[in-house]
Amino acid sequence: MISIAIANQKGGVGKTTSAINLATALAATGHRTLLIDLDPQGNASTGLGINQRDRGHSSYDLLMGDCTLDEAVMATLVPGLDLIPATQDLSGAEIELIEVEQRTHRLINAFSNGSDHRWDVCLIDCPPSLGLLTVNAMIAVQSVLVPLQCEFFALEGLSQLLQTVERIRARFNPGLSILGVALTMYDRRNRLTDQVADDVRACLGDLVFKTVIPRNVRLSEAPSHGMPALIYDMRCAGSEAYMALARELIDRLPKQEIAA
């Protein structure tokens, strides 16, 4: 199973929207996909139409060892897409994990004890921080996908995130890599948007995906209906952009692991 953390410590960059729609696109293209909601806000779970009362076992239970990977998984309305939802309990996990044995390896241990061969790809929606939850995700995955909002302050946050990835690689997960940086909330009417995009590409080169995700009202509306934008309105500019981004992402995945 190929595992990817979708991470950025800055909030409001389109991280959860990217997680939901990329997971949907991967499932639509025949990849058996698992999405893990590791954000205490639980927006990825809500965006896939999973009500709070319907969330049995959660990512919190998985981290604390109260359930197995198989027990935490639930089906979604998207064929081929499974979810491990988040509940409000996850908001206290950062503090509780401090006193837990192997606190940074709880998620990867859950993977090793579960049936992860059921899926081709696993996406993890990380919280907007670089705390223990995000560290657990980065230790458990092979690569990190970074959604980056096209604004000046996002560049400063990107530098900090890349440093964190380097530290995780050096101490815990030598195989960790940056899969790519996805530019989000792109507004062609704003000249600063173009400048930020150009600066990121000049700095990171081919690491930046060619596809950019535009500001799009349908992307914002879809979660209120409990649907990915690709199902809510598959012909809107945002959905078409995420399908294009998913094709780029698939091209970067190791083919032998998908086949396995």
Side-chain angles (χ1 to χ4, degrees), residues 24-38:
T24 301
L26 287 167
T29 53
H31 296 83
R32 297 170 300 169
T33 306
L34 172 65
L35 175 59
I36 300 179
D37 189 350
L38 210 59

Side-chain angles (χ1 to χ4, degrees), residues 58-68 89-90 92-101 103 106-107 110 133 136:
S58 67
S59 54
Y60 169 83
D61 299 318
L62 189 66
L63 288 171
M64 303 309 294
D66 295 331
C67 71
T68 65
D89 294 335
L90 198 59
E94 295 273 1
I95 297 174
E96 294 179 50
L97 284 172
I98 293 175
E99 300 180 352
V100 174
E101 185 179 356
R103 61 182 180 270
R106 303 296 293 184
L107 188 57
L133 294 178
N136 261 273

